[in-house]
């Protein structure tokens, strides 16, 4: 009988493996841009915007320089600014909050659903005030938020909905792509994302032509044509080189997401009924894309050390909720404000997850987790 040897090391994400599989196409795409020298808002930007909009089942996509810019400019393009309140989840990445703050609006965090880790709809409704202008649900870890009741709530109170889809490229809610539900949606193309560039990048998708027009001006000095500035805009454009890379990768995204789903299913199957470990729960309405595979454990620090000793990289997303960050102390929240979010922040661990991960590595990770707990 052959004894299977465990992998020497399991990375948390392996961008080199992804590049190796598509290097020829990537190199050709970048060389094409270098030969044309159309580095700013070049042809590949326009083509990527058309292709990404079609992929997201929206009419328009506007490429920008980062996911954080995508959030801020989406809010600005929808008329959200000073004096307005924007409700979002307290357990998101800081960029969600910064997008709201940099748009000039007031951040209003709320607690999360204990099963999905996404924003609690009932908490959102309790947080609505006369100053509320927008809801910003986050499709956290690549799992869609429950959009139908959020959209119904927004219509009831005449609110804007901006989806934070930075971790959810290709995810579906009730068979429809995330990003196509709100007035607009923000995506990040940070290199480690399911659809990642080779540097920073982002995009806003929408089916509203006025929002799209506002976005194009806001990202490019407030102008439709050169030197004629209609808005106080910014320099927030998606580089042509990054758009060329993203066009290649977009063709592989569904296959990569399918591989991530297979890894997640293997994790969940092997971790089922493991004492001290709570795998993620997927509601019937959701088709996640597993940007992250996050479990809850009793002894997070001990498990992290144990995995490291077995040459397994793991992460924490995110250890400090937004309302407890020093940068937002002025909001006046304290420990105990959002108990579910705070409890989970102390117990979550992100296990290795990327398309090129193999079954043996997943088994090694699971065996290591089980040997600890």
């Amino acid at each position: 009988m052959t004894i299977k040897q465990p992998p020497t090391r399991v990375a948390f994400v392996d961008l080199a493996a992804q590049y190796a599989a598509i290097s020829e196409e990537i190199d050709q795409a970048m060389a094409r841009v270098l030969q044309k020298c159309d580095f700013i808002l070049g042809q590949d930007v326009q083509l990527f915007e058309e292709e990404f909009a079609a992929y997201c089942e929206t009419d328009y996509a506007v490429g920008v320089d980062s996911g954080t810019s995508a959030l801020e400019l989406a809010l600005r393009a929808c008329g959200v600014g000073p004096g307005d309140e924007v409700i979002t989840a307290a357990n998101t990445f800081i960029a969600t909050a910064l997008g709201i703050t940099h748009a000039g609006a007031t951040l209003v965090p709320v607690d999360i659903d204990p099963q999905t880790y996404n924003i609690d709809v009932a908490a959102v409704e309790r947080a609505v005030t006369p100053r509320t202008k927008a809801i910003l649900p986050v499709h956290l870890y690549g799992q869609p938020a429950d959009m139908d009741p959020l959209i119904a709530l927004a219509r009831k109170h005449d609110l804007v909905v901006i989806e934070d889809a930075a971790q959810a490229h290709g995810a579906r809610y009730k068979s429809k792509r995330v990003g196509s539900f709100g007035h607009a949606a923000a995506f990040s193309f940070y290199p480690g994302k399911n659809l990642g560039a080779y540097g920073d990048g982002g995009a806003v998708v929408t089916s509203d032509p006025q929002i799209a027009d506002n976005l194009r001006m806001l990202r490019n000095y407030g102008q439709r044509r050169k030197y004629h500035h209609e808005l106080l805009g910014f320099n927030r454009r998606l580089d042509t080189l990054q758009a060329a890379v993203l066009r290649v990768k977009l063709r592989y995204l569904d296959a990569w997401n399918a591989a991530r789903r297979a890894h997640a299913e293997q994790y969940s199957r092997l971790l089922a009924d493991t004492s001290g470990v709570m795998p993620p729960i997927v509601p019937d309405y959701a088709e996640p894309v597993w940007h992250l595979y996050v479990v809850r454990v009793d002894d997070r620090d001990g498990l992290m050390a144990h995995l490291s000793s077995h040459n397994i990289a793991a992460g924490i997303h995110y250890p400090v909720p937004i309302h407890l960050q020093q940068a937002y102390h002025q909001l006046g929240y304290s420990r105990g404000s959002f108990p579910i979010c705070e409890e989970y922040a102390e117990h979550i661990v992100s296990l290795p997850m990327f398309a090129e991960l193999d079954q043996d590595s997943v088994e090694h990770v699971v065996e290591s987790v089980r040997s600890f707990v």
Side-chain angles (χ1 to χ4, degrees):
M1 182 178 71
T2 301
I3 299 175
K4 187 161 46 178
Q5 296 296 319
T8 55
R9 180 178 179 272
V10 182
F12 184 70
V13 64
D14 190 346
L15 298 180
Q18 184 188 79
Y19 172 68
I22 58 172
S23 60
E24 185 174 348
E25 293 173 78
I26 290 290
D27 293 350
Q28 290 174 356
M30 296 184 76
R32 185 176 64 246
V33 176
L34 295 174
Q35 290 162 5
K36 294 179 68 175
C37 295
D38 60 343
F39 300 119
I40 304 297
L41 296 182
Q43 183 181 33
D44 277 289
V45 174
Q46 178 183 342
L47 292 173
F48 173 70
E49 289 174 340
E50 293 171 358
E51 292 159 4
F52 191 61
Y55 180 84
C56 293
E57 301 172 0
T58 60
D59 292 339
Y60 309 100
V62 179
V64 296
D65 61 346
S66 71
T68 309
S69 290
L71 289 159
E72 177 191 346
L73 297 189
L75 289 162
R76 289 179 178 271
C78 291
V80 179
D84 297 328
E85 294 177 347
V86 180
I87 301 170
T88 195
N91 66 332
T92 185
F93 180 53
I94 192 69
T96 311
L98 293 176
I100 295 169
T101 302
H102 293 329
T106 299
L107 167 70
V108 179
V110 297
D111 215 339
I112 58 172
D113 180 278
Q115 292 199 326
T116 67
Y117 299 20
N118 278 321
I119 197 166
D120 182 344
V121 179
V124 174
E125 184 152 30
R126 291 192 298 270
V128 172
T129 74
R131 294 179 58 196
T132 305
K133 184 66 175 288
I135 305 171
L136 208 166
V138 183
H139 304 302
L140 195 68
Y141 308 148
Q143 170 126 274
D146 193 359
M147 292 305 299
D148 280 354
L150 288 170
I151 295 295
L153 180 61
R155 288 173 178 161
K156 175 182 175 182
H157 296 281
D158 192 24
L159 304 177
V160 171
V161 176
I162 307 292
E163 299 172 65
D164 183 341
Q167 300 181 358
H169 315 69
R172 291 186 182 274
Y173 173 84
K174 296 185 177 179
S175 301
K176 187 178 178 182
R177 295 277 195 205
V178 301
S180 62
F181 292 90
H183 294 78
F187 287 86
S188 166
F189 302 129
Y190 184 78
K193 296 295 170 65
N194 294 37
L195 179 62
Y198 288 160
D200 274 318
V204 182
V205 299
T206 182
S207 290
D208 186 313
Q210 185 59 58
I211 294 174
D213 189 47
N214 290 344
L215 286 163
R216 293 190 194 100
M217 288 191 287
L218 284 168
R219 74 170 176 187
N220 190 28
Y221 299 110
Q223 62 188 3
R224 283 193 181 88
R225 59 193 180 105
K226 199 168 185 178
Y227 304 134
H228 294 264
H229 308 279
E230 301 174 40
L231 302 174
L232 295 175
F234 306 88
N235 179 8
R236 305 280 185 84
R237 302 167 298 207
L238 177 66
D239 288 341
T240 307
L241 277 167
Q242 302 299 348
V245 169
L246 291 166
R247 290 189 66 208
V248 173
K249 288 191 170 189
L250 183 59
R251 297 195 289 267
Y252 292 91
L253 181 56
D254 282 341
W256 289 340
N257 284 343
R260 287 173 178 266
R261 278 193 290 273
H263 301 328
E265 289 169 2
Q266 185 182 7
Y267 270 134
S268 294
R269 183 178 69 255
L270 296 177
L271 287 171
D273 302 322
T274 300
S275 177
V277 179
M278 175 60 71
I281 295 171
V282 180
D284 292 340
Y285 59 70
E287 185 179 304
V289 290
W290 302 105
H291 173 60
L292 297 168
Y293 186 90
V294 178
V295 298
R296 293 201 317 275
V297 296
D298 295 333
D299 180 4
R300 195 252 307 282
D301 292 343
L303 177 60
M304 293 285 287
H306 181 75
L307 292 175
S308 179
S309 72
H310 285 71
N311 293 315
I312 297 169
I316 304 172
H317 300 83
Y318 300 97
V320 182
I322 296 298
H323 66 289
L324 298 181
Q325 295 284 354
Q326 177 63 28
Y328 283 104
H329 70 93
Q330 73 278 6
L331 294 180
Y333 297 102
S334 59
R335 188 165 296 279
S337 295
F338 306 118
I340 299 171
C341 169
E342 293 167 24
E343 178 189 350
Y344 285 13
E346 297 177 356
H347 295 280
I348 50 176
V349 175
S350 301
L351 301 180
M353 174 56 74
F354 52 96
E356 295 78 16
L357 198 63
D358 58 67
Q359 290 188 356
D360 289 348
S361 294
V362 172
E363 290 178 4
H364 177 51
V365 173
V366 171
E367 288 169 3
S368 298
V369 171
R370 293 174 67 96
S371 71
F372 175 76
V373 301

